[in-house]
Amino acid sequence: MTGKVDEALSYEQARDELIEVVRRLEAGGTSLEESLALWERGEELAKVCRRWLEGARARLDAALAEEAEEEDAE
């Protein structure tokens, strides 16, 4: 799963899948190849989560700036 499919993931979906990836890595018992694939997937999921959080932060900053402008106009 990469690219456009990852972009369609909600924050919660990406976070939950990332938790599962971490759980599997911590449990061990996977081959080196499987571990590397899990690690790479975890990195992709972390990027998806980061984009969602950055977007939420930008929206919050914009709302706070708008509120401050309205207060200054009064």
Side-chain angles (χ1 to χ4, degrees):
M1 247 211 256
T2 59
K4 296 207 183 280
V5 175
D6 284 344
E7 291 174 14
L9 289 175
S10 70
Y11 170 79
E12 291 79 7
Q13 290 169 322
R15 181 202 59 211
D16 291 346
E17 188 178 341
L18 180 56
I19 290 168
E20 179 62 19
V21 166
V22 170
R23 186 196 64 73
R24 289 181 60 195
L25 285 169
E26 288 178 340
T30 57
S31 70
L32 177 59
E33 189 64 30
E34 290 171 313
S35 294
L36 287 173
L38 285 168
W39 180 268
E40 290 170 347
R41 181 63 182 153
E43 288 291 325
E44 292 170 6
L45 292 164
K47 287 178 187 175
V48 170
C49 289
R50 194 173 309 116
R51 281 193 301 268
W52 273 107
L53 292 173
E54 288 169 354
R57 184 59 170 164
R59 290 174 59 193
L60 179 59
D61 289 344
L64 291 172
E66 184 178 314
E67 184 179 304
E69 287 176 14
E70 289 174 2
E71 288 177 5
D72 289 344
E74 293 177 357

